[in-house]
Amino acid sequence: MLSPTSVKDALQSAAPVAPIQVQGWVRTRRDSKDFSFIELNDGSCLRNLQIIAENWLPNYADVQHLTTGASIIVRGELVASQGKGQNWEVVADKIDIVGGADDTYPLQKKGHTPEFLREIAHLRPRSNLFGCVFRVRSRLAFAIHQFFQERGFIYVHTPIITGSDCEGAGELFRVTTIDAKNPPRTQSGEIDYAKDFFLRPTYLTVSGQLEAEAFASALSKVYTFGPTFRAENSNTSRHSNEFWMIEPEMAFCDLNGNMDLAEEIVKYLIVDLRENCAEELGLFAKFVDKELLARLDFVFERKFRRIPYTEAIELLKKSGEKFEFPVEYGLNLQSEHERWLTEKQKCPVTVFNYPKEIKPFYMRLNDDGKTVTAMDLLVPGIGEIVGGSQREERLEVLEANMRRHKMDPADYKWYLDLRRYGTVPHSGFGLGFERMLMFVTGVSNIRDVIPFARTPGSAEF
Ligand code: 4AD
Ligand code: MG
């Protein structure tokens, strides 16, 4: 049996090969006098492989009926191409038609809008744009692991079902097996989650951070990389209800070390993709975002600026810019503010030391008693792609933070144990995988960098 060659490998061949087997989906087909040209794509790369089917093939009549979307297996000889635009082509001596596709196949024409393609999320990976997006997504995931593994970080699988609300924002999807029609009740008539599957309320995780802290308190440098879920009802181009997050956590590390790592990984990933996904980035630069490569260079070449939150607020106030949302000390920065900061400063920006009121309970209280060691890394075009902090390692201060956030320290006994036994200064952050992917592809809607997006009112596929 001949083992199949990918289109990518065939196109990179150093010499003719005979016989060769390739397989994939027909992109286009056109007839010449004595033969038919088929453009074959198998998703291994952006480019198609040209197949030449000559009229002596026993099933030539069927080949002439092949339409866009059909699947075929081709055996033949890889030869230097006479035509323009490709070095290699295959002269077929056998074509097996595996699966036909009739003219209802929705990807007939080139140039469908991303909005249309979103409605056929099951077929859109067969388009050039989405093939590129998902190959880059795969490489980006690999490069992230490589970055951490090269630096001695240990990969930890934190749970997806959890009892804690790490971010304290209450944006949780409940996990339950309680019968909605007939739930167990407490004496006061509330649903009794103590009788639920896990004998307590449980949710899909919003972040693996708290569990990662436990592992950093033993293995020193760890990272998570997994799906996270937020039941926030915000229909924006940068929010998804299911997204992937990378969360490094480092023992014996302060906020500065944390900011260093966040900046380092962003640059590393840009360099990796420039090297390993040149063809895909080229397509994005041509059809999605003409500024893309310049913007990636901009972020790669420049030193990131670090601005305390208080100073960022002053810069925004003095900007003279008309913002939709108010700029005031004590308010969260909105994406328009974040974009202004990084675009007008002409460099990526890390904003740090936010007011304690607008950040979660676990962040370390600064000596001023007003701010916490939060940091957000902002890039042009997107705004926040990283959010992190130095964690509160002092037991009493942490308990006080929890009470201030209306949390009961008794519910977080295990987390507080990390401060009771061998506590150390430690820090970490969350890098939004899809945000990073949007940034490196120029794709402006998060729905278009996730295979099957989960957003409010939408979970069809
Ligand atoms: O800033 P966030 O909420 O931070 C945390 O969850 C921390 N526990 C992380 C940590 O310190 N270990 O989220 C981190 C990043 C954001 O900067 C953003 O890139 C991304 O996750 N993110 C989202 N991405 C897509 N859709 C959403 N709804 C997102 N919410 C956050
Ligand atoms: Mg954040």
Side-chain angles (χ1 to χ4, degrees), residues 178-213:
I178 284 179
D179 178 358
K181 282 199 216 101
N182 187 23
R185 302 270 178 194
T186 62
Q187 287 194 330
S188 58
E190 313 272 302
I191 294 177
D192 188 358
Y193 288 105
K195 298 213 171 71
D196 202 349
F197 191 90
F198 295 107
L199 306 181
R200 53 166 301 144
T202 47
Y203 313 93
L204 294 179
T205 187
V206 297
S207 158
Q209 178 197 319
L210 303 187
E211 293 89 351
E213 284 184 59

Short mmCIF file of all heavy atoms in Angstrom, two decimals, residues 178-213:
data_model
loop_
_atom_site.label_atom_id
_atom_site.label_comp_id
_atom_site.label_asym_id
_atom_site.label_seq_id
_atom_site.Cartn_x
_atom_site.Cartn_y
_atom_site.Cartn_z
N ILE A 178 -29.21 18.28 39.16
CA ILE A 178 -30.51 18.44 39.81
C ILE A 178 -31.61 18.52 38.74
O ILE A 178 -31.44 19.19 37.72
CB ILE A 178 -30.52 19.70 40.71
CG1 ILE A 178 -29.73 19.39 42.00
CG2 ILE A 178 -31.93 20.16 41.03
CD1 ILE A 178 -29.65 20.55 42.97
N ASP A 179 -32.69 17.84 39.00
CA ASP A 179 -33.83 17.86 38.08
C ASP A 179 -34.52 19.23 38.19
O ASP A 179 -35.09 19.56 39.23
CB ASP A 179 -34.78 16.73 38.49
CG ASP A 179 -36.03 16.68 37.62
OD1 ASP A 179 -36.17 17.54 36.72
OD2 ASP A 179 -36.86 15.79 37.86
N ALA A 180 -34.46 19.99 37.12
CA ALA A 180 -34.99 21.36 37.18
C ALA A 180 -36.47 21.37 37.54
O ALA A 180 -36.98 22.33 38.12
CB ALA A 180 -34.76 22.05 35.84
N LYS A 181 -37.20 20.30 37.18
CA LYS A 181 -38.64 20.28 37.46
C LYS A 181 -38.93 19.95 38.91
O LYS A 181 -39.98 20.31 39.44
CB LYS A 181 -39.30 19.21 36.57
CG LYS A 181 -39.51 19.69 35.16
CD LYS A 181 -40.58 18.81 34.47
CE LYS A 181 -40.24 18.59 33.02
NZ LYS A 181 -39.63 17.29 32.71
N ASN A 182 -37.99 19.24 39.54
CA ASN A 182 -38.28 18.79 40.89
C ASN A 182 -37.03 18.85 41.78
O ASN A 182 -36.53 17.83 42.24
CB ASN A 182 -38.82 17.34 40.81
CG ASN A 182 -39.29 16.86 42.16
OD1 ASN A 182 -39.62 17.66 43.03
ND2 ASN A 182 -39.28 15.54 42.34
N PRO A 183 -36.51 20.08 42.01
CA PRO A 183 -35.25 20.18 42.75
C PRO A 183 -35.45 19.94 44.25
O PRO A 183 -36.52 20.24 44.78
CB PRO A 183 -34.83 21.63 42.50
CG PRO A 183 -36.11 22.36 42.24
CD PRO A 183 -37.06 21.39 41.64
N PRO A 184 -34.41 19.40 44.91
CA PRO A 184 -34.49 19.32 46.37
C PRO A 184 -34.48 20.73 46.96
O PRO A 184 -33.81 21.62 46.42
CB PRO A 184 -33.22 18.55 46.75
CG PRO A 184 -32.28 18.74 45.61
CD PRO A 184 -33.12 18.93 44.39
N ARG A 185 -35.23 20.93 48.03
CA ARG A 185 -35.33 22.28 48.62
C ARG A 185 -34.80 22.26 50.05
O ARG A 185 -34.93 21.26 50.75
CB ARG A 185 -36.80 22.71 48.67
CG ARG A 185 -37.50 22.75 47.32
CD ARG A 185 -37.35 24.11 46.68
NE ARG A 185 -37.98 24.14 45.35
CZ ARG A 185 -37.77 25.10 44.47
NH1 ARG A 185 -36.95 26.10 44.76
NH2 ARG A 185 -38.36 25.08 43.30
N THR A 186 -34.26 23.40 50.46
CA THR A 186 -33.92 23.58 51.88
C THR A 186 -35.20 23.96 52.61
O THR A 186 -36.24 24.23 51.98
CB THR A 186 -32.89 24.71 52.07
OG1 THR A 186 -33.49 25.92 51.60
CG2 THR A 186 -31.62 24.45 51.29
N GLN A 187 -35.09 24.04 53.95
CA GLN A 187 -36.30 24.38 54.73
C GLN A 187 -36.85 25.73 54.32
O GLN A 187 -38.06 25.95 54.34
CB GLN A 187 -35.96 24.36 56.22
CG GLN A 187 -35.77 22.93 56.70
CD GLN A 187 -35.77 22.80 58.19
OE1 GLN A 187 -35.37 23.72 58.89
NE2 GLN A 187 -36.22 21.65 58.68
N SER A 188 -35.94 26.65 53.92
CA SER A 188 -36.43 27.99 53.55
C SER A 188 -36.89 28.06 52.10
O SER A 188 -37.24 29.13 51.60
CB SER A 188 -35.34 29.02 53.82
OG SER A 188 -34.19 28.68 53.09
N GLY A 189 -36.87 26.89 51.41
CA GLY A 189 -37.44 26.86 50.06
C GLY A 189 -36.45 27.09 48.93
O GLY A 189 -36.81 27.02 47.76
N GLU A 190 -35.19 27.34 49.28
CA GLU A 190 -34.16 27.51 48.24
C GLU A 190 -33.80 26.13 47.66
O GLU A 190 -33.97 25.11 48.33
CB GLU A 190 -32.87 28.08 48.85
CG GLU A 190 -33.08 29.27 49.76
CD GLU A 190 -33.06 30.56 48.98
OE1 GLU A 190 -32.04 30.79 48.32
OE2 GLU A 190 -34.07 31.29 49.03
N ILE A 191 -33.25 26.15 46.44
CA ILE A 191 -32.74 24.88 45.89
C ILE A 191 -31.56 24.42 46.75
O ILE A 191 -30.67 25.21 47.08
CB ILE A 191 -32.33 25.04 44.43
CG1 ILE A 191 -33.57 25.34 43.58
CG2 ILE A 191 -31.62 23.78 43.91
CD1 ILE A 191 -33.29 25.58 42.12
N ASP A 192 -31.57 23.15 47.13
CA ASP A 192 -30.55 22.65 48.07
C ASP A 192 -29.40 22.00 47.30
O ASP A 192 -29.43 20.80 47.01
CB ASP A 192 -31.20 21.64 49.01
CG ASP A 192 -30.25 21.24 50.12
OD1 ASP A 192 -29.09 21.73 50.11
OD2 ASP A 192 -30.66 20.45 50.99
N TYR A 193 -28.39 22.82 47.02
CA TYR A 193 -27.25 22.29 46.24
C TYR A 193 -26.37 21.36 47.05
O TYR A 193 -25.53 20.66 46.49
CB TYR A 193 -26.45 23.44 45.62
CG TYR A 193 -27.21 24.10 44.49
CD1 TYR A 193 -27.82 25.34 44.65
CD2 TYR A 193 -27.36 23.43 43.27
CE1 TYR A 193 -28.54 25.92 43.61
CE2 TYR A 193 -28.08 24.00 42.23
CZ TYR A 193 -28.66 25.25 42.40
OH TYR A 193 -29.38 25.81 41.39
N ALA A 194 -26.58 21.32 48.36
CA ALA A 194 -25.85 20.33 49.17
C ALA A 194 -26.32 18.92 48.80
O ALA A 194 -25.65 17.94 49.14
CB ALA A 194 -26.07 20.60 50.65
N LYS A 195 -27.43 18.80 48.09
CA LYS A 195 -27.90 17.49 47.63
C LYS A 195 -27.58 17.27 46.14
O LYS A 195 -28.04 16.31 45.53
CB LYS A 195 -29.42 17.38 47.85
CG LYS A 195 -29.82 17.48 49.31
CD LYS A 195 -31.06 16.62 49.60
CE LYS A 195 -31.35 16.54 51.08
NZ LYS A 195 -31.85 17.84 51.61
N ASP A 196 -26.84 18.17 45.57
CA ASP A 196 -26.47 18.04 44.16
C ASP A 196 -25.36 16.98 44.00
O ASP A 196 -24.85 16.45 44.98
CB ASP A 196 -26.03 19.41 43.61
CG ASP A 196 -26.14 19.51 42.10
OD1 ASP A 196 -26.37 18.48 41.44
OD2 ASP A 196 -26.00 20.64 41.58
N PHE A 197 -24.97 16.73 42.78
CA PHE A 197 -24.05 15.64 42.46
C PHE A 197 -22.78 15.65 43.32
O PHE A 197 -22.35 14.64 43.85
CB PHE A 197 -23.66 15.70 40.97
CG PHE A 197 -22.94 14.49 40.50
CD1 PHE A 197 -23.63 13.41 39.98
CD2 PHE A 197 -21.55 14.42 40.58
CE1 PHE A 197 -22.96 12.27 39.55
CE2 PHE A 197 -20.88 13.29 40.16
CZ PHE A 197 -21.58 12.21 39.64
N PHE A 198 -22.16 16.83 43.45
CA PHE A 198 -20.91 16.93 44.20
C PHE A 198 -21.12 17.34 45.67
O PHE A 198 -20.19 17.72 46.35
CB PHE A 198 -19.95 17.91 43.52
CG PHE A 198 -19.50 17.45 42.15
CD1 PHE A 198 -20.00 18.05 40.99
CD2 PHE A 198 -18.59 16.41 42.01
CE1 PHE A 198 -19.58 17.63 39.73
CE2 PHE A 198 -18.17 15.99 40.75
CZ PHE A 198 -18.66 16.59 39.61
N LEU A 199 -22.38 17.33 46.10
CA LEU A 199 -22.76 17.70 47.46
C LEU A 199 -22.40 19.15 47.78
O LEU A 199 -22.18 19.50 48.94
CB LEU A 199 -22.14 16.76 48.50
CG LEU A 199 -22.41 15.26 48.29
CD1 LEU A 199 -21.76 14.42 49.39
CD2 LEU A 199 -23.91 14.97 48.23
N ARG A 200 -22.30 19.95 46.76
CA ARG A 200 -22.01 21.38 46.92
C ARG A 200 -22.27 22.06 45.58
O ARG A 200 -22.34 21.39 44.55
CB ARG A 200 -20.57 21.59 47.36
CG ARG A 200 -19.55 20.90 46.45
CD ARG A 200 -18.15 21.40 46.70
NE ARG A 200 -18.13 22.85 46.45
CZ ARG A 200 -17.41 23.72 47.15
NH1 ARG A 200 -16.62 23.31 48.09
NH2 ARG A 200 -17.46 25.00 46.86
N PRO A 201 -22.39 23.38 45.57
CA PRO A 201 -22.55 24.06 44.28
C PRO A 201 -21.27 23.94 43.46
O PRO A 201 -20.17 24.09 44.01
CB PRO A 201 -22.80 25.53 44.66
CG PRO A 201 -23.04 25.53 46.13
CD PRO A 201 -22.40 24.31 46.70
N THR A 202 -21.40 23.65 42.17
CA THR A 202 -20.21 23.58 41.31
C THR A 202 -20.48 24.29 39.99
O THR A 202 -21.63 24.46 39.57
CB THR A 202 -19.80 22.12 41.00
OG1 THR A 202 -20.97 21.39 40.63
CG2 THR A 202 -19.13 21.47 42.18
N TYR A 203 -19.39 24.70 39.36
CA TYR A 203 -19.46 25.54 38.16
C TYR A 203 -18.38 25.11 37.18
O TYR A 203 -17.43 24.42 37.55
CB TYR A 203 -19.22 27.01 38.55
CG TYR A 203 -20.01 27.44 39.76
CD1 TYR A 203 -19.46 27.37 41.04
CD2 TYR A 203 -21.33 27.88 39.62
CE1 TYR A 203 -20.19 27.74 42.15
CE2 TYR A 203 -22.08 28.25 40.73
CZ TYR A 203 -21.50 28.17 42.00
OH TYR A 203 -22.23 28.52 43.08
N LEU A 204 -18.51 25.61 35.94
CA LEU A 204 -17.39 25.50 34.99
C LEU A 204 -16.38 26.58 35.37
O LEU A 204 -16.76 27.71 35.67
CB LEU A 204 -17.88 25.72 33.56
CG LEU A 204 -18.83 24.67 33.00
CD1 LEU A 204 -19.24 25.05 31.56
CD2 LEU A 204 -18.19 23.29 33.00
N THR A 205 -15.12 26.25 35.32
CA THR A 205 -14.11 27.18 35.84
C THR A 205 -14.01 28.46 35.01
O THR A 205 -14.14 28.42 33.79
CB THR A 205 -12.72 26.49 35.90
OG1 THR A 205 -11.81 27.37 36.55
CG2 THR A 205 -12.20 26.14 34.51
N VAL A 206 -13.78 29.58 35.68
CA VAL A 206 -13.49 30.84 34.97
C VAL A 206 -11.99 31.05 34.84
O VAL A 206 -11.54 31.92 34.09
CB VAL A 206 -14.11 32.08 35.66
CG1 VAL A 206 -15.62 32.00 35.67
CG2 VAL A 206 -13.57 32.26 37.09
N SER A 207 -11.21 30.27 35.60
CA SER A 207 -9.75 30.44 35.60
C SER A 207 -9.15 29.30 36.41
O SER A 207 -9.71 28.89 37.43
CB SER A 207 -9.39 31.78 36.24
OG SER A 207 -8.05 31.77 36.71
N GLY A 208 -8.00 28.79 35.98
CA GLY A 208 -7.32 27.74 36.74
C GLY A 208 -6.36 28.28 37.78
O GLY A 208 -5.59 27.52 38.38
N GLN A 209 -6.41 29.58 37.98
CA GLN A 209 -5.37 30.22 38.80
C GLN A 209 -5.24 29.67 40.22
O GLN A 209 -4.13 29.40 40.69
CB GLN A 209 -5.65 31.72 38.86
CG GLN A 209 -4.65 32.46 39.73
CD GLN A 209 -5.14 33.83 40.11
OE1 GLN A 209 -5.72 34.52 39.28
NE2 GLN A 209 -4.90 34.24 41.34
N LEU A 210 -6.36 29.54 40.92
CA LEU A 210 -6.26 29.18 42.34
C LEU A 210 -5.59 27.81 42.48
O LEU A 210 -4.73 27.60 43.34
CB LEU A 210 -7.64 29.18 43.00
CG LEU A 210 -8.41 30.51 42.92
CD1 LEU A 210 -9.69 30.44 43.75
CD2 LEU A 210 -7.58 31.70 43.34
N GLU A 211 -5.97 26.88 41.61
CA GLU A 211 -5.36 25.56 41.65
C GLU A 211 -3.91 25.62 41.18
O GLU A 211 -3.06 24.90 41.69
CB GLU A 211 -6.17 24.59 40.77
CG GLU A 211 -7.58 24.28 41.29
CD GLU A 211 -8.66 25.25 40.79
OE1 GLU A 211 -8.32 26.28 40.17
OE2 GLU A 211 -9.85 24.96 41.03
N ALA A 212 -3.63 26.50 40.20
CA ALA A 212 -2.24 26.65 39.75
C ALA A 212 -1.38 27.18 40.89
O ALA A 212 -0.21 26.80 41.03
CB ALA A 212 -2.17 27.59 38.55
N GLU A 213 -1.93 28.04 41.73
CA GLU A 213 -1.17 28.55 42.88
C GLU A 213 -0.75 27.40 43.80
O GLU A 213 0.35 27.39 44.34
CB GLU A 213 -1.99 29.57 43.67
CG GLU A 213 -2.06 30.93 42.99
CD GLU A 213 -2.81 31.96 43.85
OE1 GLU A 213 -2.40 32.22 44.99
OE2 GLU A 213 -3.84 32.48 43.36
#
